Amino acid sequence: MACCAGGDADTDTSNKVSSIEADSEEKKKDYGQPKQHDPSFKGPMKNRSCTDIICCAIFLTCVTGFLCCSIIGYARGDPIKLIYPTDSFGNICGTGDYEDKKFLFFFDLLRCAQTGAAVVTMGCPTPQICVTECPSTYWTYAQTIFYETQAGSQQSAERAKMLCKYSVDPYSAAKTVTELVEDEDCAAYYVKSTSVINRCIPSIFSEITSLAADIVYVDGSNNFTVSDGGGTGVTGTALSDGSYYLALFYEAREFVELVYKDVLAAWWMILVGIVVAMAVCMLWIVLMRFIAGPMVWATIIGVFVLVGFATYYSFDTYYDLKKLNATEEYGFSQAFAMNFSYYLNLKKTWLAFGCTSATILALLILLFIFLVKRICIAIELIKEASRAVGNMFSTLFWPLIPFLLQVMFFLYWAASALFVASMGSSDYYSNSTNTSSDGINNYLERVPCEPDSSTLGSACDFVKYGGDEYIIPMQLFMLFMLLWVLNFIVALGHMTLAGAFASYYWAWEKPRDIPAFPLASSVYRSLRYHLGSIAFGSFIIAVVQMIRIVLEYIEYKLKDSENRVAKFIIRCLQCCFWCLEKFLKFLNKNAYIMIAIHGKNFCFSAKDAFFLIMRNIVRVVVLDKVTDFLLFLSKVLVTGIVFTMAYIWFKGNITYFDSYVTRPELNYYLTPVIILTLCCYLMACVFFGVYSMAVDTLFLCFLEDLERNDGSVSKPYFMSKGLMKVLGKKNEKLKEPKGPEESKKGSKTAKVAPEDKEEKRPLPEPNTKGGAKGK
């Protein structure tokens, strides 16, 4: 810390930085000519014109197209079809005539396993009906046959236990029990089940001593083996496999619903946590304004303590579980469970957490050792950003506006996408059994069919709501518009802040020369002149992100493929496009800064910013990137503090408030913890994003200042005294005049050296060319 205290440390830091010289002049020429001194330049240009008008027109046209797609979706869609289950006849459970039958029952889950991964697209090839409640007992058709054989007649009590299709009367003498099962009019068996997103899923696995053995249950004094329609015994493993493949069809809906229930149960606690997280972020930012240096060092120490504690806690929990010899325990099928608590009770999970946090801690220590001197330099940039934020405190709350715009647009997009997805017609697939040469039934060859009164629900079953030919293109277009508009809003926020902070930097005497309402003026310039440039830059990012999504989809489709070459190529492409996206975001951000300052179009500004950075690449690496790393650590620390508090509270480690507050019953206690952590990180990105934008803008202005000016009497630097000190720069001072008249005359010939905002500077005086001379 001593290196930032001042005195000899400042001199040492100045010497270190002054030793960092730019590349050779010959190499600099490859990246354009340095900025030339212009006495009339005083920051963001006021006289500017509209840029990239064609891009603006295309963007508005696409937004109009998106609105048309959403209107069509609202007019023709019905999200109820996607939320509630649908039986084999196309009836929606829990609605209309089936309002009292909210649960979907599968006749034979074993067929889901026989279908394999194809269940994702073709569904489970077994009849499905809506029922009032999921089975809570065991039954197999062999039981009914046994009792009817003993009695020599039909047993109504036994027939009442059968689950059959709506039009089938199990009490009819026209068919025997065996015929009802073989014709798939009734289910051959059922077991104890639980409702998962209104689907009846077996929940018997904790009662089975051996998953590989046939399921046997007791009815009265008789033992019965659960068997399918072909008389084959049903094992726990078979049911588990069937549940697993069915889970591939429903896991997303099930997860969302369980999380949704947890959110409803703990919504007020989540809101309180969000307020606390916002208070922590605000407190951190306010403290950064007044004690930036100590806060940065406190952040670094705090991150070390936080990661160190995570390492200790993870390994401590691992050894506790190891002593208990913890093993896996199953309730209902783990494919449907997705229960975080299950994984947190595995010692391997905590071993992975411990190794990961220990590795991160080691890397942070190494980075600190090598960057400690650079950190001292970067702190000065953060101090300058703190002064800028302090003089324009409204900038701290500006990111809330783009954030709310993004949230509102995303919610509108999600609702529109849901309606558009529900426009599709019902897809029906044949339910016939194709037998291969080896005698094994093959259900993979299910093909689409057109149901009629004789085949509906028997030979031709409803599977899902499919997409008509025009729905998929609409969904792809809406997905691209989501990416484009979200990036557009982010770019608007960046350009607005860049204009405000550039006004601060190029003010000769701060804060007196800062224009009135700099943030509002920057918003006006961005909306009035540069919507086209914002649309252009955000379009480029959206295209790259769309390509990455396509690559992710291709990788998912190749997941079960054995073509390793194709997988390798896809992953290489993913890596390349990830790097490309990061580079383009960096370039776009600096392009927006140059647009906010000079008012040029996107391509010219991007080239100008890139060349300016490349001419000063050493300074960029040493100062700007280290500063970004320090701000990232601040975000990590604030998020880590909130995560730790939320984790301890919802896990139940804090019992002091239990007499005052009722802790909600949750499916996953980590649901509110994760939500709070994500919200806190987003808020930290919002608040610290202001500092990040301030640092980037001031840094780019400072690079331009170094090229435009040389510190002489006629070309003084605009940078603050603190920045000049750490960079080993200074402004020349006027020589003391011999007499009063000469002193008065000389004081009007040049600007004095800029100091910190507490020190007064003479006002600039316009010259004949519209420039400014210092008094």
Side-chain angles (χ1 to χ4, degrees):
M1 291 188 194
C3 60
C4 291
D8 295 336
D10 283 334
T11 303
D12 180 67
T13 303
S14 301
N15 293 334
K16 293 288 183 182
V17 178
S18 60
S19 65
I20 303 175
E21 299 297 336
D23 297 335
S24 64
E25 293 298 325
E26 183 178 353
K27 188 174 182 180
K28 280 187 175 182
K29 291 180 181 179
D30 296 337
Y31 301 107
Q33 293 296 325
K35 298 285 185 180
Q36 301 299 316
H37 176 69
D38 182 4
S40 64
F41 179 75
K42 296 183 292 183
M45 305 294 292
K46 294 183 179 179
N47 297 325
R48 56 181 72 200
S49 59
C50 295
T51 56
D52 299 304
I53 300 176
I54 296 178
C55 296
C56 182
I58 295 175
F59 177 72
L60 294 177
T61 302
C62 291
V63 170
T64 304
F66 169 76
L67 294 176
C68 292
C69 290
S70 63
I71 292 173
I72 294 173
Y74 291 130
R76 299 187 56 187
D78 183 13
I80 296 297
K81 297 189 299 185
L82 303 179
I83 298 175
Y84 294 97
T86 304
D87 64 14
S88 297
F89 302 89
N91 304 310
I92 301 176
C93 302
T95 62
D97 296 336
Y98 301 89
E99 186 175 0
D100 60 333
K101 298 181 177 181
K102 300 180 180 180
F103 306 99
L104 186 67
F105 172 75
F106 299 85
F107 275 24
D108 188 3
L109 274 178
L110 301 183
R111 295 189 181 179
C112 299
Q114 293 172 350
T115 304
V119 71
V120 176
T121 56
M122 295 187 296
C124 186
T126 186
Q128 302 158 35
I129 60 173
C130 300
V131 295
T132 305
E133 59 182 2
C134 293
S136 58
T137 60
Y138 298 92
W139 177 86
T140 180
Y141 77 101
Q143 172 183 325
T144 302
I145 295 174
F146 174 79
Y147 286 120
E148 288 188 349
T149 301
Q150 277 193 337
S153 63
Q154 187 182 104
Q155 299 293 303
S156 299
E158 286 299 318
R159 294 271 180 139
K161 297 178 182 179
M162 301 179 70
L163 292 177
C164 303
K165 294 177 180 178
Y166 312 121
S167 60
V168 175
D169 181 11
Y171 304 102
S172 173
K175 287 186 177 182
T176 65
V177 174
T178 303
E179 290 174 337
L180 289 172
V181 171
E182 290 178 349
D183 294 342
E184 293 190 333
D185 291 331
C186 299
Y189 68 93
Y190 52 76
V191 296
K192 286 184 179 181
S193 303
T194 187
S195 171
V196 179
I197 55 170
N198 288 22
R199 277 84 176 171
C200 297
I201 304 301
S203 58
I204 62 170
F205 302 104
S206 59
E207 302 178 7
I208 300 175
T209 57
S210 174
L211 290 176
D214 292 344
I215 300 174
V216 179
Y217 67 95
V218 178
D219 184 78
S221 59
N222 301 300
N223 294 335
F224 295 97
T225 300
V226 176
S227 58
D228 60 15
T232 304
V234 177
T235 66
T237 301
L239 281 179
S240 180
D241 291 342
S243 300
Y244 169 78
Y245 285 108
L246 186 63
L248 296 177
F249 199 53
Y250 294 122
E251 63 179 354
R253 297 184 192 177
E254 172 251 348
F255 179 74
V256 170
E257 179 160 326
L258 293 180
V259 169
Y260 176 69
K261 290 179 180 178
D262 287 343
V263 172
L264 289 181
W267 67 270
W268 70 270
M269 288 188 176
I270 294 176
L271 289 180
V272 172
I274 290 175
V275 173
V276 172
M278 184 177 294
V280 172
C281 292
M282 281 297 300
L283 176 63
W284 208 268
I285 289 295
V286 172
L287 292 176
M288 288 277 285
R289 166 66 185 92
F290 297 102
I291 49 173
M295 285 302 297
V296 171
W297 288 110
T299 297
I300 295 173
I301 296 172
V303 169
F304 285 156
V305 171
L306 189 67
V307 178
F309 174 76
T311 304
Y312 162 76
Y313 184 83
S314 299
F315 281 115
D316 183 64
T317 306
Y318 165 73
Y319 283 111
D320 287 343
L321 292 174
K322 188 176 181 180
K323 291 176 182 177
L324 293 174
N325 194 24
T327 57
E328 299 178 359
E329 296 179 359
Y330 291 88
F332 55 88
S333 176
Q334 287 303 314
F336 276 95
M338 294 183 70
N339 196 328
F340 296 116
S341 301
Y342 165 75
Y343 297 103
L344 291 181
N345 286 327
L346 300 178
K347 57 186 178 182
K348 290 182 179 179
T349 301
W350 290 104
L351 178 61
F353 286 163
C355 294
T356 302
S357 55
T359 303
I360 293 174
L361 180 62
L363 290 175
L364 288 176
I365 293 174
L366 290 175
L367 283 174
F368 175 77
I369 293 173
F370 288 105
L371 295 179
V372 62
K373 295 187 185 328
R374 304 294 180 250
I375 290 173
C376 296
I377 303 171
I379 286 176
E380 191 58 43
L381 263 180
I382 296 179
K383 287 181 180 179
E384 189 67 17
S386 299
R387 298 187 190 104
V389 172
N391 284 303
M392 298 179 293
F393 207 70
S394 59
T395 57
L396 199 58
F397 301 96
W398 160 254
L400 293 176
I401 296 177
F403 178 73
L404 292 176
L405 288 176
Q406 287 181 304
V407 171
M408 289 188 294
F409 178 77
F410 179 80
L411 292 177
Y412 178 79
W413 176 87
S416 301
L418 188 62
F419 274 88
V420 170
S422 63
M423 290 195 308
S425 57
S426 301
D427 281 353
Y428 292 85
Y429 282 77
S430 63
N431 199 29
S432 58
T433 301
N434 296 322
T435 304
S436 58
S437 58
D438 57 3
I440 300 176
N441 292 334
N442 182 8
Y443 294 94
L444 292 176
E445 297 182 5
R446 301 184 78 195
V447 294
C449 59
E450 291 295 333
D452 54 36
S453 57
S454 62
T455 61
L456 180 60
S458 56
C460 194
D461 285 353
F462 168 84
V463 172
K464 61 182 179 179
Y465 293 100
D468 295 335
E469 292 183 359
Y470 58 87
I471 293 181
I472 294 179
M474 286 177 63
Q475 291 175 324
L476 291 175
F477 173 72
M478 293 179 68
L479 176 60
F480 178 76
M481 287 307 301
L482 171 69
L483 301 175
W484 194 358
V485 174
L486 291 182
N487 283 291
F488 180 90
I489 296 173
V490 171
L492 176 62
H494 286 168
M495 187 177 291
T496 299
L497 289 176
F501 289 125
S503 300
Y504 167 85
Y505 184 92
W506 295 107
W508 176 248
E509 183 178 348
K510 306 172 180 64
R512 188 179 66 183
D513 292 345
I514 299 176
F517 307 109
L519 185 64
S521 300
S522 184
V523 172
Y524 171 76
R525 290 194 298 268
S526 300
L527 295 177
R528 170 66 178 81
Y529 299 107
H530 305 304
L531 284 181
S533 298
I534 295 173
F536 191 6
S538 56
F539 172 79
I540 296 173
I541 301 298
V543 169
V544 175
Q545 290 176 339
M546 193 69 181
I547 294 174
R548 290 188 61 199
I549 292 175
V550 172
L551 292 174
E552 291 284 348
Y553 176 76
I554 294 174
E555 183 186 29
Y556 171 77
K557 300 298 284 185
L558 293 174
K559 182 173 61 175
D560 297 326
S561 172
E562 297 181 358
N563 192 337
R564 295 185 179 181
V565 175
K567 291 182 178 180
F568 174 77
I569 294 175
I570 290 297
R571 290 181 180 177
C572 288
L573 289 174
Q574 287 177 322
C575 179
C576 292
F577 277 98
W578 180 85
C579 295
L580 178 62
E581 182 184 349
K582 294 298 180 183
F583 171 75
L584 289 175
K585 283 185 175 180
F586 170 77
L587 184 62
N588 280 15
K589 191 175 184 180
N590 289 284
Y592 297 142
I593 295 173
M594 300 303 286
I595 293 172
I597 298 174
H598 300 287
K600 303 295 183 181
N601 62 48
F602 178 82
C603 291
F604 182 88
S605 300
K607 183 190 74 172
D608 200 19
F610 180 72
F611 283 178
L612 179 61
I613 290 172
M614 292 305 296
R615 289 195 298 267
N616 300 272
I617 188 63
V618 176
R619 289 192 177 99
V620 171
V621 174
V622 171
L623 292 180
D624 193 43
K625 296 301 107 183
V626 175
T627 306
D628 289 344
F629 177 69
L630 293 179
L631 293 176
F632 171 74
L633 289 184
S634 298
K635 290 187 284 187
V636 169
L637 180 60
V638 171
T639 305
I641 292 173
V642 173
F643 168 79
T644 303
M645 292 190 298
Y647 179 81
I648 293 175
W649 169 257
F650 285 103
K651 190 180 180 182
N653 291 351
I654 299 177
T655 59
Y656 176 78
F657 299 98
D658 287 353
S659 57
Y660 307 99
V661 179
T662 302
R663 205 181 303 270
E665 294 291 334
L666 302 175
N667 295 295
Y668 316 133
Y669 74 87
L670 281 181
T671 295
V673 176
I674 293 175
I675 292 176
L676 280 175
T677 302
L678 291 176
C679 289
C680 180
Y681 183 76
L682 290 176
M683 284 187 290
C685 289
V686 168
F687 288 109
F688 286 99
V690 176
Y691 267 79
S692 178
M693 198 65 207
V695 168
D696 290 338
T697 304
L698 296 177
F699 184 71
L700 216 60
C701 291
F702 137 78
L703 292 181
E704 189 167 332
D705 191 11
L706 286 175
E707 292 191 347
R708 287 183 179 275
N709 306 302
D710 56 12
S712 62
V713 174
S714 59
K715 302 177 183 179
Y717 293 120
F718 277 77
M719 71 184 73
S720 67
K721 183 178 179 180
L723 279 177
M724 284 192 287
K725 184 180 294 184
V726 298
L727 293 169
K729 305 290 184 180
K730 63 179 181 179
N731 281 334
E732 294 181 3
K733 294 183 179 180
L734 291 174
K735 294 182 179 180
E736 191 69 27
K738 295 181 179 180
E741 294 297 327
E742 190 175 350
S743 174
K744 183 177 180 181
K745 180 180 178 181
S747 64
K748 295 182 179 181
T749 60
K751 300 174 185 177
V752 298
E755 303 292 341
D756 289 336
K757 66 173 185 176
E758 293 81 3
E759 301 183 21
K760 294 183 178 180
R761 304 182 190 177
L763 290 171
E765 180 181 277
N767 59 15
T768 57
K769 296 182 179 180
K773 291 185 178 180
K775 289 185 178 181

